[in-house]
Amino acid sequence: MASGTGRMVPPAWLTAGLRPQPAPVPWPATVRAALALSLPLAAGLLLDRPAEGALVSMGALSGVIGDTADAYRMRVFNIAVPQLFGALGVTLGTLVFGHGWLAVATLTLVALVSGMISSIGAVASASGLLLLLNAVVGAGLPMPDPWWKAPVLLGLGGLVVLALTLLGWPLRRAAPERAAVAATYRTVADLYEAAGSEAYQERRHAVTGSLNQSYDLILARRTRQHGRTSSLARLLAQLNVLIPLLEAAPAADLRARRHGPLPPAVAATIRELADAVENGRADTAAPVLPPSDRPSDKAVEHALRHAAAVVREADPHPHDIDDRLGRPASLAVRARRATRTMLVSAPSWRYGLRLALCIGLAQSLVSLIAVPRSYWVALTVTFVMKPDFGSVFSRAVLRAFGTCLGLVSAALVLAEVPRGWWDVPVMAVLAALIPVFSAKGYAFQTAAVTPVILLLSDALNQQGFDLVLPRLYDSLIGCAIALVAGYLLWPESWHSRIGDRLADAVADAAAYVALAFRPDAPGPSAPGTDTLGTDASGADTPGTGASGTGVPEAGASRPGADGRRLRARRKLYRDLSVVRSEFQRALTEPPPTGTRAAAWWPLAIAVERIVDATTAARIRVAHGAPPPDPAEVAEVARELRELADGLRASDVLVPVRAELPGDEDGVLAPLRQEVRAARAFAGPELPPDGP
């Protein structure tokens, strides 16, 4: 009930996805989509083969939706690999078309595989989605003979998108990578600008996402080239020098809270460096900062001067181009790891079984009941139940809403626009809306994709306006199957999905505290030193200590120990970013999941602040502040480990009063304060006669 109005309003968890997200119009993607989907239709009409043209456009639609990467090499991978799986899917579907229960069994098995491979990564997820989608379409729509024609035509559509995507490659080769690194610099500038304010944490989340994207782009490209081209080496060096700036940021935030805002020259200098990186310039001036004796200011000044020196270098020093956070393993090694993880992972099997159950029910239903063009039921289930796309409940609601919007526009098109050459301009307009609406949210993407699929389906089966109402019924049936068989029948423990992951992050934070203040912890990184290099083992992923938390053990020597510490910190921030995403996903679900997520949300924020406070303290010590007492460090780590144990033991938050004595003017005072705040949210649930 809205206060003071007397009107009933839906709850926030139900309407969260119905608010369009602010996003600029992606003009290049818009033009590509319009051309990729309309040109095949025109070619089909010109050759008097409209059905074949529609199949090519359908393959192009999959390529348009999957073209989400930035770097050209990654876009080739993101478009081409899913198309191969899509070709396999439509082949399987075509072979079982009209075979009743054989089609049910085949699609159920394909759904199991699709759900399981979705746990591997983004490209595998898109491949699994296209495998299942095309199998459903092939089993539900009559395809042209012979059997190999449909996969060839769909693959040709993907090639059309790929060709349009690569038109700018000769002129812009490394431009996406440069733009990504420059964008990371600008998020760091925003972070320093927000130091001391409540916006600092949100800006840090933006930095984490941008840094992840930049490293993923550049390191993934380096694994394919097996060499150090000058452009990539320089970009990697320019990205690496942001690490000292990011380490100094928590100390700068603490300094700003105590002594006032940072000098505006700090953020302005970082933005100047961002412009130089994006334009490939090496003419940046040395930063001019006011002198200061505070350890945090010294850390910022040293890191900023180092960054400016590296950006000015046309040929970076070899130490600056080490893959400091771990270079990805070879493709063969990653494939073996992914396969092993997929086959033995409980979430992988759970997602696969849920998707298989829903698809099996959908296909069984339409086999027992005469539903015209019944493939749309399983198609809806596929989109709603895709396990890595977010909350099943919210996607079902948003899918139903988006389908209704899409069917309104589709009804207008099918009722008023004559079939034939008018389909080409109409398709160009509808296709251009897909990238625009996709950036607004899932419901809006559904609203844009629905009329396109209906128009292409009409080109294949010539049902016209009669398609509209059956598609609405089919969509609602598919959403209902997903809600019941994919959501209500799988009451996953919220604690195991969120609580355990948050507990792991707290345990990693405890290990990071112990690692950061070891007696042999390294000092500040100076330009030209190798304190940020990879560890001696050449490991390509963060080391795993005896605890299994992913944070390395304390016995490593420098410089490898510092490299492991940096990778441990980056892994911790990545994990916290995943935890935050899981919380945001859970907040869109109905009670009790959404209610519990809201109750635990402050604790997730507290853990992030603990990591920031640890980094700030380490930077201050590295630049002249007195080191903490080892006993004080051990007590803080012990409190965090106890907090992690408590989170694993219970779904109920039990506040604990944490006594952490120590020097109130010492370097660990802010960290102890953050730990006390976290323990005030939750701790181990003690028995009635406990201490």
Side-chain angles (χ1 to χ4, degrees):
M1 182 79 69
S3 63
T5 65
R7 292 184 296 108
M8 296 294 293
V9 295
W13 53 264
L14 185 60
T15 60
L18 300 180
R19 292 187 292 270
Q21 300 297 318
V25 176
W27 290 110
T30 298
V31 174
R32 280 196 303 273
L35 293 175
L37 272 74
S38 62
L39 289 180
L41 278 183
L45 291 170
L46 188 64
L47 298 174
D48 197 25
R49 294 180 177 273
E52 283 82 350
L55 275 176
V56 176
S57 292
M58 195 171 290
L61 174 62
S62 302
V64 166
I65 296 175
D67 184 18
T68 57
D70 293 316
Y72 282 104
R73 285 175 174 81
M74 293 302 295
R75 293 169 79 175
V76 172
F77 198 64
N78 282 12
I79 295 174
V81 173
Q83 289 296 326
L84 296 176
F85 280 84
L88 174 61
V90 76
T91 301
L92 293 173
T94 302
L95 293 176
V96 299
F97 173 74
H99 285 73
W101 291 106
L102 178 60
V104 173
T106 300
L107 290 184
T108 302
L109 181 60
V110 170
L112 175 64
V113 175
S114 171
M116 293 183 68
I117 66 176
S118 295
S119 62
I120 296 175
V123 176
S125 174
S127 300
L129 175 63
L130 205 53
L131 170 70
L132 182 55
L133 283 179
N134 284 5
V136 168
V137 171
L141 282 175
M143 294 292 167
D145 291 326
W147 63 267
W148 51 263
K149 182 178 286 189
V152 169
L153 292 174
L154 288 171
L156 182 60
L159 290 178
V160 171
V161 178
L162 191 57
L164 292 173
T165 298
L166 299 181
L167 286 178
W169 193 348
L171 301 176
R172 301 185 70 244
R173 288 182 178 272
E177 288 88 344
R178 284 202 309 270
V181 175
T184 302
Y185 271 76
R186 293 188 180 103
T187 60
V188 174
D190 294 341
L191 179 70
Y192 273 90
E193 212 166 43
S197 71
E198 295 302 320
Y200 176 83
Q201 287 296 327
E202 288 300 325
R203 300 286 173 82
R204 187 185 62 73
H205 301 145
V207 171
T208 299
S210 181
L211 190 67
N212 290 346
Q213 181 185 20
S214 296
Y215 266 114
D216 290 344
L217 283 178
I218 295 176
L219 293 181
R221 181 173 169 185
R222 279 166 60 82
T223 60
R224 290 171 175 78
Q225 294 192 346
H226 301 289
R228 291 185 173 181
T229 63
S230 58
S231 61
L232 282 184
R234 188 179 182 199
L235 281 174
L236 186 56
Q238 291 167 345
L239 191 57
N240 283 340
V241 294
L242 284 177
I243 301 302
L245 272 172
L246 292 176
E247 283 204 308
D253 176 55
L254 180 62
R255 176 256 190 231
R257 292 179 186 276
R258 290 180 173 179
H259 305 290
L262 299 177
V266 174
T269 300
I270 299 175
R271 288 198 173 91
E272 291 175 5
L273 296 179
D275 294 338
V277 169
E278 188 164 24
N279 297 316
R281 301 195 332 260
D283 57 354
T284 58
V288 179
L289 300 174
S292 177
D293 294 331
R294 295 191 181 98
S296 57
D297 289 338
K298 289 181 180 179
V300 173
E301 180 183 0
H302 291 171
L304 199 51
R305 292 188 186 282
H306 186 196
V310 171
V311 171
R312 286 197 301 268
E313 292 177 352
D315 296 312
H317 190 281
H319 289 307
D320 290 323
I321 58 177
D322 283 334
D323 299 324
R324 300 176 175 189
L325 301 182
R327 186 172 181 176
S330 67
L331 187 60
V333 172
R334 282 183 287 167
R336 288 197 299 271
R337 290 176 181 171
T339 303
R340 184 171 60 250
T341 300
M342 179 189 72
L343 293 177
V344 302
S345 168
S348 171
W349 279 98
R350 184 167 61 248
Y351 293 153
L353 289 173
R354 288 172 63 186
L355 188 56
L357 174 63
C358 292
I359 291 294
L361 287 175
Q363 285 298 117
S364 299
L365 177 67
V366 300
S367 296
L368 295 172
I369 301 175
V371 179
R373 302 304 177 190
S374 58
Y375 69 94
W376 199 270
V377 177
L379 210 64
T380 300
V381 169
T382 301
F383 279 115
V384 173
M385 276 300 302
K386 200 65 177 68
D388 54 334
F389 279 5
S391 165
V392 170
F393 181 89
S394 63
R395 285 204 314 280
V397 174
L398 297 177
R399 178 80 184 175
F401 178 80
T403 299
C404 291
L405 288 181
L407 287 175
V408 170
S409 58
L412 293 175
V413 171
L414 294 174
E416 301 298 332
V417 178
R419 302 279 67 79
W421 282 100
W422 278 105
D423 288 343
V424 177
V426 170
M427 178 59 69
V429 173
L430 293 176
L433 295 177
I434 293 176
V436 178
F437 279 37
S438 295
K440 301 295 182 182
Y442 180 74
F444 302 96
Q445 182 190 51
T446 301
V449 171
T450 297
V452 171
I453 296 180
L454 282 175
L455 195 60
L456 294 176
S457 299
D458 182 53
L460 290 172
N461 54 46
Q462 303 295 322
Q463 278 193 307
F465 187 80
D466 293 337
L467 279 172
V468 177
L469 281 180
R471 292 298 76 81
L472 176 60
Y473 302 149
D474 293 345
S475 294
L476 295 179
I477 292 172
C479 290
I481 290 174
L483 280 176
V484 175
Y487 183 78
L488 296 178
L489 296 184
W490 298 78
E492 295 178 14
S493 168
W494 182 83
H495 172 77
S496 64
R497 185 174 56 185
I498 299 294
D500 283 350
R501 181 164 286 178
L502 183 57
D504 290 341
V506 174
D508 286 355
Y512 177 56
V513 169
L515 186 65
F517 300 106
R518 285 200 328 260
D520 62 337
S525 303
T529 62
D530 192 27
T531 58
L532 298 180
T534 53
D535 61 17
S537 66
D540 61 321
T541 55
T544 303
S547 65
T549 61
V551 176
E553 299 175 12
S557 60
R558 54 181 306 189
D562 198 25
R564 289 185 177 183
R565 180 189 58 77
L566 284 171
R567 287 191 292 276
R569 183 178 61 82
R570 285 287 297 127
K571 178 182 181 298
L572 192 49
Y573 275 121
R574 276 183 181 262
D575 289 347
L576 288 173
S577 178
V578 172
V579 169
R580 170 175 281 265
S581 298
E582 289 285 352
F583 267 98
Q584 291 171 340
R585 186 176 299 173
L587 288 170
T588 65
E589 295 191 4
T593 300
T595 305
R596 289 176 178 173
W600 283 51
W601 179 249
L603 180 59
I605 300 300
V607 176
E608 293 178 346
R609 295 178 64 89
I610 287 171
V611 179
D612 280 348
T614 303
T615 302
R618 199 203 75 85
I619 289 298
R620 292 178 63 199
V621 170
H623 288 82
D629 185 345
E632 188 178 3
V633 174
E635 181 63 17
V636 170
R638 186 193 66 79
E639 287 281 347
L640 290 174
R641 286 193 296 270
E642 187 177 284
L643 173 59
D645 293 340
L647 293 176
R648 292 190 181 98
S650 175
D651 285 336
V652 180
L653 297 181
V654 181
V656 172
R657 181 178 177 84
E659 298 294 342
L660 285 172
D663 184 1
E664 292 304 319
D665 296 322
V667 72
L668 287 192
L671 175 58
R672 293 199 314 274
Q673 180 180 354
E674 298 296 346
V675 173
R676 281 196 294 265
R679 296 305 305 271
F681 288 120
E685 190 171 9
L686 299 175
D689 58 346

